[in-house]
Amino acid sequence: MSELRFSLADVAGVRLAVSPVNETVMSMWAMASPVRYAVHLPWIDRARVTLRRPEVAARVGPLTQMVGRGRWLPDFLTPAARPNVEMAEQLEQIAATPPSVVVQDLLATVPSRPLNPFGQALLADPRGLLPQLVDAVRVWYDEAIAPDWPRMRALLDADVAYRAAQLAENGAGRFFEQLHPSLHWHGDRVISDDTFGRDFDLRGRGLALNPTVFSGRQVLWNLLEDSLPAGAYPVRAVGTLWEATAPPPGDPLARVIGPGRAALLHLLDTATTTTTDLARRTGMSAGNVSQHLAALHAAGLVSRSRQGRHVLYRNTDAAEVLLRASGAADPVG
């Protein structure tokens, strides 16, 4: 069990952002345990082909060793992300990590598993070998993550928008309890039901929270004194990541308003989300989705609200009546 203690400044400093480097690094867990990460098998199959290329395997080797199965990640390798951060910026941040912090973070991972040969070498010569690790992360992103990054990013952005709305509407205590079943708000702190056993005072630095498609079943923390506090939590609706959704066969609603608009209403029946995420899930272009949403909004079937740079869409009561009348939604009550 871990405890994160908050001041008023820390509560005000809770922020949500997408971290490209987190997805790149944590994706190695899926490569090592495909059964546990079965939802990602379409991606894993493609990534394995990529990793079998000798020129890729040689350069990605340092990352493969650092992110072994059951091994904790050093904090410097998954830095706290700020909103709209790009991969290049995060790589520069990792490359600029002081050698003393590299050593401290590596030693903090030893309770999970002893360091492997590359980890031992990095511990002995952080200044000389850190560039190899940064290059490994860059190559893996370019070869395995970047081709699917728009799809991943859409899901992650939708989660950030949804969580930001929760935080604004419900406050920090309820927000954390909705974020993950293992988190509980008690007084001035978050209690995390985990095996890390940390007792950590945020000390006015706030907390960066990053959704991830590859975190598995728990919230992962960056809670060393020389790192900005951060947590990576499982993204919502990860099961939809590799799917394209269409209206059910024979859907009567599709015959009335068209298959594209019917598909959007079906998706918005289960989640509040963004144009980009709807485009990813339907296979339509973002422009096409925007046109359909504009028509549905004008007809009073969807509502929209802005959360930061995101616009969230949800079905109205009128849409729920329409879906139920067509047999596409479960009766309420």
Side-chain angles (χ1 to χ4, degrees):
M1 180 179 294
S2 297
E3 296 190 10
L4 284 69
R5 283 172 278 131
F6 287 70
S7 66
L8 288 177
D10 293 316
V11 172
V14 173
R15 56 203 181 276
L16 294 133
V18 173
S19 172
V21 81
N22 272 16
E23 302 312 300
T24 304
V25 171
M26 293 179 183
S27 71
M28 281 296 177
W29 285 333
M31 296 292 289
S33 304
V35 173
R36 183 178 181 186
Y37 292 85
V39 69
H40 297 303
L41 283 176
W43 175 84
I44 292 171
D45 289 342
R46 295 193 299 273
R48 281 178 161 176
V49 173
T50 298
L51 195 56
R52 282 197 291 267
R53 289 162 45 197
E55 70 277 15
V56 174
R59 292 180 66 182
V60 173
L63 177 62
T64 305
Q65 291 192 54
M66 290 300 297
V67 193
R69 184 175 180 179
R71 187 182 304 281
W72 294 352
L73 297 175
D75 280 9
F76 74 84
L77 195 55
T78 54
R82 62 170 179 77
N84 304 319
V85 70
E86 297 294 337
M87 184 66 175
E89 297 174 67
Q90 291 192 293
L91 289 173
E92 291 176 1
Q93 183 179 352
I94 295 172
T97 306
S100 60
V101 174
V102 173
V103 169
Q104 170 190 279
D105 288 3
L106 286 172
L107 291 176
T109 70
V110 171
S112 65
R113 285 194 175 185
L115 294 173
N116 56 30
F118 181 80
Q120 293 173 359
L122 183 61
L123 185 67
D125 184 15
R127 194 180 303 276
L129 291 183
L130 184 58
Q132 290 186 26
L133 182 57
V134 173
D135 181 67
V137 177
R138 179 184 294 108
V139 170
W140 188 240
Y141 175 81
D142 290 342
E143 297 289 343
I145 301 298
D148 291 303
W149 182 239
R151 176 182 290 263
M152 295 182 186
R153 180 80 197 223
L155 183 69
L156 296 166
D157 278 343
D159 187 275
V160 166
Y162 175 80
R163 302 295 182 183
Q166 283 189 316
L167 181 60
E169 292 172 6
N170 302 325
R174 181 66 177 147
F175 164 79
F176 279 105
E177 295 191 344
Q178 292 175 323
L179 188 68
H180 193 267
S182 68
L183 303 182
H184 309 281
W185 183 266
H186 183 71
D188 64 347
R189 65 197 62 198
V190 167
I191 310 295
S192 175
D193 294 333
D194 57 42
T195 60
F196 306 125
R198 300 303 310 276
D199 185 359
F200 190 80
D201 190 337
L202 297 176
R203 294 190 290 109
R205 294 179 292 171
L207 181 67
L209 293 169
N210 311 132
T212 172
V213 303
F214 291 112
S215 72
R217 303 178 180 88
Q218 60 183 336
V219 180
L220 306 173
W221 303 107
N222 282 18
L223 296 178
L224 295 179
E225 292 299 334
D226 290 328
S227 305
L228 287 175
Y233 64 90
V235 71
R236 297 165 60 247
V238 71
T240 71
L241 181 56
W242 308 112
E243 297 177 351
T245 304
D251 177 24
L253 184 59
R255 294 198 295 269
V256 175
I257 66 172
R261 292 171 188 174
L264 298 179
L265 290 183
H266 283 293
L267 289 173
L268 292 172
D269 187 44
T270 59
T272 300
T273 190
T274 63
T275 300
T276 306
D277 187 50
L278 289 168
R280 174 189 65 80
R281 296 177 66 181
T282 59
M284 292 187 280
S285 70
N288 198 8
V289 169
S290 293
Q291 290 177 1
H292 285 319
L293 289 172
L296 292 169
H297 181 263
L301 296 175
V302 302
S303 64
R304 59 192 178 199
S305 60
R306 179 169 291 279
Q307 294 294 334
R309 66 189 184 91
H310 301 284
V311 177
L312 294 177
Y313 290 87
R314 68 178 69 189
N315 281 352
T316 63
D317 290 343
E320 299 300 328
V321 171
L322 192 60
L323 286 167
R324 287 198 298 274
S326 67
D330 293 330
V332 177

